[in-house]
Amino acid sequence: MKFPLLDDWAWKMAWRESRATGKRLFLFVSSITLGVAALVAIGSFGQNLERAVQEQAKSLLGADLVITNRQLFSEETEALFRSWGGEQSREARLASMVYFPESDGSRLVEIRALEGDFPYYGELVTLPAEAAQRFREGPYALVDERMMLQFEVEVGDPVKIGVFQFTVAGKLQRIPGETMTETLVAPRVYIPLSYLSRTDLVQFGSRVSYRNAFRFGPMTEVEQLLEEAEPHMETQRLRSVTVEDRQRRLGRSMENLYRFLSLVGFIALVLGGIGVASAIHIHIKQKLNTVAILRCLGASAGQASTIYLIQAALMSLAGAAVGVLLGIGLQALMPPVLSNFLPVVISFEVSWGAVGQGLAMGLGIGLLFAVLPLLTVRRISPLLALRFSYEQEDSLPREPLRWLVYGLIVAAICLFAVSRTQSWTQGLAFAGGTLAVFLLLVAVASLITVLVKRYFPDSWSYVWRQGLANLYRPNNQTIVVMLALGLGTFLITTLFLIQSTLLNAVSLAGSGDRPDMVLFDIQSDQREEILQIVRSLDLPTQQDVPIVTMRLASVNGRTVQEISEEPERGRRDWALFREYRSTYRESLIDSEELLAGEWYGRVGSPSDKIRISLEQGIARDLGVSPGDQLVFDVQGRPVETEVGSIRKVDWERMQTNFFVVFPVGVLEDAPQFHVLMTQVRSAETSAQLQRTVVQQFPNVSTIDMALVLETVDAVLDNITFVIRTMALFSIITGLVVLVGAVISSRYQRIRESVLLRTLGASRIQIRKIMAIEYLFLGFFAAVTGLFLAILSSWALSYFFFETEFIMELQPVVIVLCVVVGLTMLIGAVSSRGLTNRPPLESLRAEV
Amino acid sequence: MSGLRHFASVKVPIRAQHEDGILLMEKPVLEVKELTRTYRSGERTLTVLDSVSLTLNPGSSCAVVGPSGSGKTTLLGLCAGLDRPTSGSVLLDGVLLDPLDEDQLAAVRSESVGFVFQTFQLIPTLTALENVVVPIELRAETRVRSRARELLDQVGLGDRLNHYPSQLSGGEQQRVSLARAFINQPKILFADEPTGNLDAETSERVTELLFELNAAAATTLVLVTHDLELAQRTQRIVELKKGTIHSDQDLLLKSKDLAL
């Protein structure tokens, strides 16, 4: 027995058959082009990215090794560093306000006080270029370019940091190993380390981290150095970052980005696959008679199916090839789109692996989806050639094998998702989600057709009725078009809604009588004066919180070192070794809720037990519950406590929240600093308060809600821009499928419209009927997509982001109008010419 | 060479029977026994063909006539293995059709059957020449084109080889279809109202060609028609009414009688 694909006759017939319909068929199959293009672009880009990370590994860190510490390096550590040798750079990082006298503006930034020649690999990109060196030599600062733009600051302008005024030496454009998105949150400002003390910023409670960067000679084994120094590093709580660490971490996050993008691209491909299925379905319906004749003449069912399988395969391959070319072109566009997320410079290179993968995926998806309608070919009876009455256009025989094909398609989607996410749960969740959306769209679409049929508005005028009826008449494309358009609508709208929900959640946190400005790092002796400033502006003091830093010394009599050396029991080391910033107060605040134990607000006498309250997460990570004994090291003094209660904390509120809350009467005399919260309401008052505070107390930092909102907005904008770009592939694919669907029904339409015109319909009427049909199609598709988008946004808000879902009407209405408009436009353009020809010409015209 | 056809010929040794010698000539090319076909239409069962039996010898010709709905086309479809009877059996060119599957039936058609349809049924995307060669190309035979050209020449279309069906008139299309019917040198030719869609003059030409080619190839001809004049040109007229054989006239015998 011969395999039908090896049958020359089938190939010959496939070729002859495609001469007449090839162009049309190609249009169908081009619906997979964009999906392939997306995958090739992303795949190729991903490989370039990987290569760039490899090649630029050292510049990601800027050094061979970086050691970081939360406080000044001890004498022993300095000695260790000296023994290591090599070139060394020192950097201190802290959050602080900067003030631009020229424009009278201030903002919270990350100050980086640098000494030495860091970065050793890669470079600080500045404008002018020499500023990257020059600022190290005097009272100069490098300032984040975007922030300079925002505050209208020029090179040469003064900038006040703490109590010292620097001169802006240059615009900071790029820091090796850091992405734009990272700097959005806290713009970077570089100053020379020797001038840090003049700013007076480093005071008690200031969160300064110190970094020592090394460049070693080629013979130095970094790993070995670290291994030898490990005991010292541990007791000093030093952390090390090597090039490999950085590369690994970055590689992972880049891979996540790349995987995510390829999944979005894959949605476009699957959508294209559905376009292929619908195209082949129509194609086969038009070939029923040909198949029947061939069967009469003695062709086997296998031979007949093979003809169309070959056509589908060749067309898919062609569609995929076009997609590959397009993808290579698109790849050039990827770096600009993603530049805000990339810490490396990407060069353009075609990845043949990605090209091959794209071709294979295009062919595979094209074939899988083509096989579905092709199965019916095997069941076309030769009797069809003998008598028309036997034709059962609407009820092509159902093929039980189709379940197998459905299974294969689902398996292929799952396999792809799992291989991309490299995780069974994530992959299956993605595949499941995609399938669920597809199924829901199909379900809603079929429901609409059924409803339209059942509750058909008989009282409407003829033109409207005819247009509406086209949705459910034989050979309608309602489901396919609704799927294609609905999916695009769904993706875009979900993005919009989630973004606005998140933004609303942030802005809600500062609404009502909740505080919208935080002043922090207030020293004890500054507290009174700052309170006075606040009062003088008629602002309320909503919270005045003391903060005491401390570390955990022991849990139930065992030191944290001992515990960390025990085998893992679900506890996390970070909870053992972190610096706790704790407060004390008498009562719970409204963002807290008692879960277990009892709240103790005050310690009566020094002999009483100190019962503290822990946040539930940290209690879990420490593995403690009420009654357990904790000893804290508060600035060198051990304080014995007992866990009195466990709290749940709503971290989303804009206010100070704490892992550990002490009762009143214990920490009052410990060194501490303060956080003050107030409500400024207007941007003007906010600016006034910030100006006054930053000038009198430069070490005090302020964050107001507007800044947080601005930052969140900027970050979300960045993220959604990328996602939207990817979603665009799905949307354009949807439009291609729509064009295909319109054109495939065009031939049928010609006959209809000619018949109607012969019977006396005017061209205007015919055009109106078509416009109304696309109006309904677009409307129903948009409504379905919007409905699902609202549903999924709600679910995401509720379950994933755990925030209140905000339904914004404006984007919904805009999307609705755009989708309907686009559908009608494409409908009109694709069927143009239908009504221009005289009826007789069209009646004679052959397919 | 189609594998399925090969498969069929193993199960049912068609060739072997052909080579059986003189006895073969005596064997009927079509033997229909007690053929019944019913259709279910909702609750009702419709009997379109009711216990029809018929035997045709090699080289003979037979017209099946009768009013619309009498079961003519159904009988034709069953005889050619295009459909399956509800009961009864069909022996076509020595092959019992009942146990064969769809692909084996297709193989029998490819081997032994030719078709001419009322609506021509040319494949619109193929040229005249390509339409004609389909049946023999299906048998994976080579040098098929010269034979097809010859046949198209015989039907007077030697100069229209590369025209598409839409570029040909009805009569021309039917002539292409005649060429296609004879190209695989079938044992039996089924013609379903071959002139039903043609005007009188064109009909005449097509009919002439049909009988000419038939006589030349000594093919058994089964002709379904309304046209009694056309029916008269065959050797036998079977008249169907309401699914049963109403009359069965042997014209050859009659003409012999008359001659005597």
Side-chain angles (χ1 to χ4, degrees), chain A residues 75 211 216 231 275 368 556 636:
Chain A
E75 258 320 301
R211 302 159 61 87
F216 297 114
L368 262 183
N556 289 334

Side-chain angles (χ1 to χ4, degrees), chain A residues 114-131:
Chain A
L114 184 63
E115 182 181 75
D117 291 329
F118 182 86
Y120 297 114
Y121 307 102
E123 52 178 355
L124 292 173
V125 180
T126 59
L127 197 76
E130 64 271 17

Side-chain angles (χ1 to χ4, degrees), chain A residues 528-599:
Chain A
E528 266 314 309
E529 280 174 84
I530 289 187
L531 277 173
Q532 254 169 24
I533 295 173
V534 171
R535 275 188 220 114
S536 73
L537 289 167
D538 269 341
L539 298 174
T541 316
Q542 278 166 321
Q543 279 183 45
D544 172 12
V545 186
I547 293 174
V548 179
T549 59
M550 57 187 69
R551 283 178 187 277
L552 193 59
S554 69
V555 178
N556 289 334
R558 299 206 316 282
T559 68
V560 288
Q561 256 81 20
E562 284 168 11
I563 298 171
S564 76
E565 278 153 24
E566 288 170 13
E568 197 88 11
R569 281 177 294 113
R571 87 180 137 60
R572 310 258 170 79
D573 276 357
W574 76 276
L576 291 173
F577 294 109
R578 74 186 308 276
E579 183 184 62
Y580 283 87
R581 298 160 85 85
S582 310
T583 192
Y584 53 91
R585 58 176 132 84
E586 209 160 354
S587 52
L588 285 169
I589 56 174
D590 65 352
S591 63
E592 298 172 325
E593 192 188 317
L594 211 58
L595 291 179
E598 219 174 302
W599 172 260

Side-chain angles (χ1 to χ4, degrees), chain A residues 426-707:
Chain A
Q426 280 178 35
L428 291 181
F430 171 82
T434 310
L435 288 172
V437 169
F438 276 115
L439 288 180
L440 273 170
L441 278 167
V442 170
V444 176
S446 7
L447 187 70
I448 285 176
T449 26
V450 168
L451 288 181
V452 165
K453 207 167 175 177
R454 176 162 312 167
Y455 301 105
F456 193 74
D458 290 315
S459 57
W460 288 8
S461 76
Y462 170 73
V463 169
W464 282 85
R465 274 182 291 137
Q466 182 75 13
L468 188 59
N470 278 351
L471 294 189
Y472 60 76
R473 290 190 314 172
N475 288 334
N476 72 71
Q477 301 261 338
T478 307
I479 288 187
V480 173
V481 171
M482 292 209 18
L483 199 56
L485 288 176
L487 191 76
T489 311
F490 163 77
L491 284 176
I492 281 284
T493 315
T494 305
L495 286 174
F496 265 123
L497 290 178
I498 286 295
Q499 189 176 9
S500 62
T501 292
L502 290 183
L503 279 178
N504 269 305
V506 177
S507 58
L508 258 188
S511 66
D513 52 2
R514 294 195 187 145
D516 59 8
M517 174 168 270
V518 188
L519 295 97
F520 56 95
D521 286 353
I522 302 170
Q523 303 298 305
S524 290
D525 57 358
Q526 295 171 328
R527 185 171 155 259
E528 266 314 309
E529 280 174 84
I530 289 187
L531 277 173
Q532 254 169 24
I533 295 173
V534 171
R535 275 188 220 114
S536 73
L537 289 167
D538 269 341
L539 298 174
T541 316
Q542 278 166 321
Q543 279 183 45
D544 172 12
V545 186
I547 293 174
V548 179
T549 59
M550 57 187 69
R551 283 178 187 277
L552 193 59
S554 69
V555 178
N556 289 334
R558 299 206 316 282
T559 68
V560 288
Q561 256 81 20
E562 284 168 11
I563 298 171
S564 76
E565 278 153 24
E566 288 170 13
E568 197 88 11
R569 281 177 294 113
R571 87 180 137 60
R572 310 258 170 79
D573 276 357
W574 76 276
L576 291 173
F577 294 109
R578 74 186 308 276
E579 183 184 62
Y580 283 87
R581 298 160 85 85
S582 310
T583 192
Y584 53 91
R585 58 176 132 84
E586 209 160 354
S587 52
L588 285 169
I589 56 174
D590 65 352
S591 63
E592 298 172 325
E593 192 188 317
L594 211 58
L595 291 179
E598 219 174 302
W599 172 260
Y600 298 91
R602 184 175 279 276
V603 173
S605 70
S607 56
D608 278 1
K609 259 211 179 109
I610 302 168
R611 292 197 177 88
I612 57 170
S613 177
L614 293 186
E615 188 268 340
Q616 57 172 343
I618 199 94
R620 188 187 54 231
D621 285 348
L622 286 171
V624 296
S625 48
D628 282 328
Q629 307 293 316
L630 303 181
V631 177
F632 283 96
D633 175 349
V634 182
Q635 317 289 322
R637 256 184 58 194
V639 177
E640 291 178 20
T641 66
E642 182 182 300
V643 179
S645 62
I646 308 289
R647 284 165 306 135
K648 182 179 165 188
V649 173
D650 179 3
W651 293 99
E652 271 176 37
R653 301 280 185 88
M654 169 131 175
Q655 59 193 24
T656 48
N657 285 309
F658 297 93
F659 284 127
V660 184
V661 177
F662 275 67
V664 171
V666 183
L667 299 172
E668 278 76 358
D669 293 333
Q672 56 195 271
F673 58 96
H674 300 262
V675 171
L676 197 75
M677 292 198 200
T678 179
Q679 192 181 30
V680 292
R681 291 210 179 261
S682 76
E684 225 167 282
T685 329
S686 165
Q688 200 181 348
L689 178 62
Q690 289 193 42
R691 262 199 308 274
T692 321
V693 172
V694 83
Q695 284 181 45
Q696 290 185 32
F697 307 99
N699 66 299
V700 174
S701 296
T702 56
I703 296 184
D704 79 345
M705 206 59 218
L707 182 69

Side-chain angles (χ1 to χ4, degrees), chain B residues 51-127:
Chain B
S51 287
V52 170
S53 300
L54 192 67
T55 305
L56 284 180
N57 285 323
S60 66
S61 62
C62 165
V64 179
V65 298
S68 295
S70 58
K72 302 187 298 285
T73 308
T74 306
L75 178 62
L76 183 80
L78 289 171
C79 291
L82 300 179
D83 193 13
R84 290 176 182 282
T86 313
S87 65
S89 68
V90 177
L91 191 74
L92 183 69
D93 195 16
V95 180
L96 191 61
L97 299 186
D98 311 324
L100 302 188
D101 69 19
E102 284 298 327
D103 284 341
Q104 289 166 338
L105 285 176
V108 171
R109 285 197 292 275
S110 171
E111 188 68 34
S112 323
V113 178
F115 279 102
V116 177
F117 302 94
Q118 178 176 3
T119 49
F120 325 139
Q121 300 288 25
L122 297 179
I123 293 169
T125 48
L126 304 187
T127 63

Side-chain angles (χ1 to χ4, degrees), chain A residues 266-557:
Chain A
F266 186 63
I267 293 184
L269 187 59
V270 173
L271 186 59
I274 288 169
V276 170
S278 103
I280 301 286
H281 180 70
I282 296 282
H283 185 58
I284 292 303
K285 273 194 169 179
Q286 288 168 344
K287 296 294 178 193
L288 284 179
N289 203 45
T290 299
V291 173
I293 298 169
L294 289 174
R295 300 279 282 120
C296 269
L297 299 182
S300 70
Q303 283 176 310
S305 315
T306 307
I307 297 171
Y308 299 100
L309 191 70
I310 289 170
Q311 283 183 353
L314 292 182
M315 292 293 165
S316 297
L317 206 58
V322 174
V324 164
L325 290 179
L326 201 62
I328 291 172
L330 275 173
Q331 186 202 337
L333 297 178
M334 302 282 294
V337 171
L338 292 170
S339 63
N340 287 347
F341 293 92
L342 300 178
V344 287
V345 182
I346 306 271
S347 57
F348 180 89
E349 207 167 289
V350 175
S351 150
W352 297 110
V355 167
Q357 220 175 31
L359 279 178
M361 301 270 301
L363 181 62
I365 289 289
L367 270 183
L368 262 183
F369 279 91
V371 162
L372 208 50
L374 281 181
L375 285 175
T376 55
V377 170
R378 306 186 336 128
R379 297 231 158 174
I380 294 173
S381 162
L383 263 187
L384 266 184
L386 218 53
R387 51 169 75 191
F388 299 116
S389 58
Y390 190 78
E391 280 192 51
Q392 16 163 258
E393 281 244 352
D394 275 327
S395 52
L396 275 179
R398 290 260 162 170
E399 172 66 55
L401 259 179
R402 76 189 191 282
W403 293 110
L404 180 72
V405 182
Y406 285 141
L408 278 176
I409 289 174
V410 170
I413 292 173
C414 290
L415 204 71
F416 178 85
V418 169
S419 75
R420 280 298 148 103
T421 53
Q422 308 233 306
S423 142
W424 281 98
T425 42
Q426 280 178 35
L428 291 181
F430 171 82
T434 310
L435 288 172
V437 169
F438 276 115
L439 288 180
L440 273 170
L441 278 167
V442 170
V444 176
S446 7
L447 187 70
I448 285 176
T449 26
V450 168
L451 288 181
V452 165
K453 207 167 175 177
R454 176 162 312 167
Y455 301 105
F456 193 74
D458 290 315
S459 57
W460 288 8
S461 76
Y462 170 73
V463 169
W464 282 85
R465 274 182 291 137
Q466 182 75 13
L468 188 59
N470 278 351
L471 294 189
Y472 60 76
R473 290 190 314 172
N475 288 334
N476 72 71
Q477 301 261 338
T478 307
I479 288 187
V480 173
V481 171
M482 292 209 18
L483 199 56
L485 288 176
L487 191 76
T489 311
F490 163 77
L491 284 176
I492 281 284
T493 315
T494 305
L495 286 174
F496 265 123
L497 290 178
I498 286 295
Q499 189 176 9
S500 62
T501 292
L502 290 183
L503 279 178
N504 269 305
V506 177
S507 58
L508 258 188
S511 66
D513 52 2
R514 294 195 187 145
D516 59 8
M517 174 168 270
V518 188
L519 295 97
F520 56 95
D521 286 353
I522 302 170
Q523 303 298 305
S524 290
D525 57 358
Q526 295 171 328
R527 185 171 155 259
E528 266 314 309
E529 280 174 84
I530 289 187
L531 277 173
Q532 254 169 24
I533 295 173
V534 171
R535 275 188 220 114
S536 73
L537 289 167
D538 269 341
L539 298 174
T541 316
Q542 278 166 321
Q543 279 183 45
D544 172 12
V545 186
I547 293 174
V548 179
T549 59
M550 57 187 69
R551 283 178 187 277
L552 193 59
S554 69
V555 178
N556 289 334

